[in-house]
Amino acid sequence: DIRRGLDAWIATGSRTYHSYFLGLYADALQRLGRHREALRPLDEGLAAAQLLPEGLYEAELYHLRGRSVQRLSGEAAPQDAADCFDKALRIARAQGSRWFEWRAATDLAGLLRTRGKAQEAEDLLADATARFDFVGGWEEPAEELCDAPVP
């Protein structure tokens, strides 16, 4: 159904959010355990992201690609998964996308730990965490962050 919806969207001539929608489709496939099948929309989404000057959703597409590659290879994750996570991390940092940076850093750190590089993993996570600028800090309850009056 998602693929048909994507195809119908593209048939309208619109390319708006195309890479984003392909990423959502790939994420849905991953959640169903269909990691090999998820690679196709991820590669399609990465190609679409290259056509846009801002690279919409590119960091997350690389992150999701790394997850599929990692799941397909089991515990002995290939360098390709680490490369995808690293590329996602670099793109997210360049774009100032802290959430995508955090997601990529978390998965890359997990890979580093499995390779016996615990200190490198901890350093990576410490750096990613330090780059966050949360209003009120980590301990602030979410409901207190939303007390601003509505205009």
Side-chain angles (χ1 to χ4, degrees):
D1 287 346
I2 295 172
R3 182 74 244 188
R4 282 195 306 273
L6 276 166
D7 292 342
W9 176 264
I10 293 303
T12 69
S14 177
R15 296 299 180 259
T16 306
Y17 296 107
H18 186 213
S19 56
Y20 172 70
F21 292 144
L22 286 164
L24 294 179
Y25 176 45
D27 184 50
L29 290 169
Q30 286 179 343
R31 290 171 188 266
L32 294 171
R34 295 161 59 180
H35 295 282
R36 187 167 313 284
E37 192 177 341
L39 291 173
R40 185 171 181 198
L42 289 169
D43 290 340
E44 188 180 342
L46 285 165
Q50 296 297 315
L51 299 175
L52 302 171
E54 74 279 1
L56 179 67
Y57 213 56
E58 186 178 14
E60 183 62 1
L61 292 168
Y62 274 109
H63 172 244
L64 292 169
R65 189 176 198 296
R67 282 189 163 185
S68 279
V69 168
Q70 184 179 17
R71 296 312 184 278
L72 288 170
S73 63
E75 289 299 314
Q79 186 60 39
D80 187 33
D83 290 346
C84 286
F85 294 145
D86 184 61
K87 189 156 189 170
L89 184 67
R90 286 185 284 116
I91 291 168
R93 282 184 178 163
Q95 293 177 340
S97 178
R98 304 293 189 248
W99 177 245
F100 291 150
E101 178 183 349
W102 176 255
R103 288 173 52 83
T106 300
D107 280 346
L108 182 55
L111 262 179
L112 291 170
R113 281 190 195 105
T114 64
R115 293 179 173 176
K117 299 179 180 181
Q119 187 57 55
E120 191 177 339
E122 293 309 313
D123 292 346
L124 175 66
L125 288 176
D127 182 54
T129 300
R131 296 168 64 80
F132 274 100
D133 184 21
F134 289 113
V135 175
W138 288 92
E139 292 80 26
E140 192 73 28
E143 59 272 4
E144 292 182 24
L145 294 176
C146 300
D147 286 340
V150 177

